[in-house]
Amino acid sequence: MAVKTTLIGLGIMGRRMLEHMVRHNGYEPIALWDPDPEACAQAVRLAPDAAIATSAEAAMDAADLIYLSCPPAPRKAYALTAAAAGKALFLEKPLGVDIAESEDLVDRLASFGVPTAVNFTQAAGSALTDVSKAARSGVLGDVLGADIVITYGAWPRAWQKAADWLRFRDEGGMTREVISHFLFFSERILGPLTVIWARPSFPDDPALCETHMLARLETLDGRPVTIMASIGGAQPDRQELTIKGSRASRRITDFYVDAVSDGGAFTEVRERPEDPRATSLKAQLDDLSLCLDGKTNRLATPEEALRVQKLVEAMLAGKS
């Protein structure tokens, strides 16, 4: 039976999730809410059988699963309201921007005992699954570390501009929105990381988010994860994570393109899907069904999301 689902936050990410929940036979979106009437209007065109609620709290009443795609600031309150009512939760990242508040959120969610997962979009994807298997089996040899390279001509990117909060330092920026995904991936392969040094650069306007990030993180045994991220210049987007092994390395480009090198040129390991976003979201939703049933799944846990948040906020604070 399809899980009755409420979606709160109907910006671009919320509407994408809604579109793919409508396609998936495991979910029945029944209620929607966003403070923006235009976002609600666009969402209901994707799911005409779902009702636009009068408030976020009202939207939760009849649902069994609550998906939260609102900005970080209100997410904790909505999550705790839902969990207190026994609702399962699927949260967009980051959990928040205040570490103490997020630690409290994770502890309280655990006490409620409701199924909860965080939407790091690579979690159930073939790239992370296959690279994890290659690392465990020894195909990569000794896993030596990772490199993360991100470059954008502008931030937010054109498709993100409706989410105006992404350009502000308080909650937005590419470190929280993009680098976090690759930190999650790296920790799944290498284990827990610590920020050794980090140097963010910010524009003159103190309200705006970072434009550059240079950082070195390390595993418990000293293996490095290096980060170089920048915004500006006429160039295509570049989003790249390389897991480096002594026998072979794997490079993930644009979240899903998986390529391997034994020292020569990288070659892609599988044919690209016709619709990468659809493939990714279906995998996430398939594993969310497992999570809701209390079964083993590949989705990010709140505890993993909190570790990533701590790394991100330490990098944004800077460390010499």
Side-chain angles (χ1 to χ4, degrees):
M1 182 179 294
V3 177
K4 293 181 178 178
T5 304
T6 281
L7 293 90
I8 294 174
L10 301 172
I12 184 64
M13 296 305 296
R15 295 197 301 274
R16 284 179 179 174
M17 185 64 71
L18 175 62
E19 177 185 0
H20 291 277
M21 281 185 166
V22 168
R23 296 183 189 179
H24 199 291
N25 59 14
Y27 303 90
E28 180 189 357
I30 62 167
L32 313 170
W33 186 80
D34 191 286
D36 180 3
E38 177 56 29
C40 291
Q42 292 183 52
V44 82
R45 287 195 286 271
L46 297 171
D49 293 334
I52 299 297
T54 56
S55 67
E57 292 74 17
M60 298 182 196
D61 285 346
D64 299 310
L65 168 67
I66 311 300
Y67 167 70
L68 295 178
S69 185
C70 50
R75 197 171 294 157
K76 178 182 179 181
Y78 292 151
L80 291 177
T81 297
K87 316 288 186 180
L89 284 163
F90 194 29
L91 308 174
E92 280 299 333
K93 53 89 201 140
L95 288 181
V97 295
D98 181 284
I99 299 299
E101 289 291 327
S102 293
E103 288 176 332
D104 180 64
L105 171 61
V106 171
D107 287 345
R108 293 171 69 182
L109 289 177
S111 71
F112 286 120
V114 298
T116 305
V118 183
N119 188 29
F120 283 91
T121 58
Q122 295 167 298
S126 57
L128 179 51
T129 298
D130 291 356
V131 175
S132 296
K133 182 178 179 181
R136 290 194 304 270
S137 68
V139 169
L140 302 183
D142 295 328
V143 180
L144 305 175
D147 294 333
I148 298 170
V149 179
I150 308 289
T151 59
Y152 297 127
W155 182 273
R157 289 163 286 172
W159 59 270
Q160 295 173 310
K161 286 186 176 179
D164 193 52
W165 59 274
L166 288 174
R167 67 189 178 97
F168 293 110
R169 193 179 304 192
D170 285 349
E171 297 181 277
M174 63 175 168
T175 307
R176 294 186 180 113
E177 287 299 308
V178 181
I179 295 174
S180 60
H181 285 287
F182 295 120
L183 292 173
F184 166 74
F185 194 124
S186 297
E187 284 211 327
R188 278 277 175 102
I189 305 299
L190 297 164
L193 298 171
T194 299
V195 177
I196 302 303
W197 63 264
R199 183 177 177 181
S201 298
F202 295 93
D204 291 337
D205 185 340
L208 298 181
C209 67
E210 75 279 5
T211 57
H212 296 74
M213 176 63 74
L214 297 173
R216 178 186 174 98
L217 291 74
E218 290 183 1
T219 62
L220 295 176
D221 57 1
R223 290 172 293 164
V225 173
T226 57
I227 298 171
M228 191 283 283
S230 67
I231 294 167
Q235 59 178 319
D237 292 352
R238 182 181 178 187
Q239 306 168 114
E240 193 174 272
L241 165 67
T242 304
I243 301 294
K244 299 185 292 186
S246 60
R247 293 180 183 170
S249 297
R250 297 287 278 270
R251 176 168 292 173
I252 312 303
T253 305
D254 293 336
F255 294 88
Y256 73 96
V257 180
D258 184 3
V260 63
S261 168
D262 61 2
F266 279 91
T267 58
E268 295 182 22
V269 302
R270 69 181 62 82
E271 187 175 345
R272 298 188 185 192
E274 289 186 12
D275 187 341
R277 183 176 298 127
T279 300
S280 172
L281 284 172
K282 184 181 186 305
Q284 291 289 97
L285 291 172
D286 287 346
D287 270 52
L288 181 58
S289 293
L290 296 175
C291 177
L292 297 178
D293 290 339
K295 298 178 180 178
T296 300
N297 64 88
R298 296 169 289 180
L299 298 182
T301 65
E303 291 77 13
E304 286 180 302
L306 178 60
R307 285 209 310 269
V308 171
Q309 181 187 339
K310 289 179 177 180
L311 295 176
V312 164
E313 297 305 321
M315 288 163 58
L316 289 170
K319 185 172 184 179
S320 61

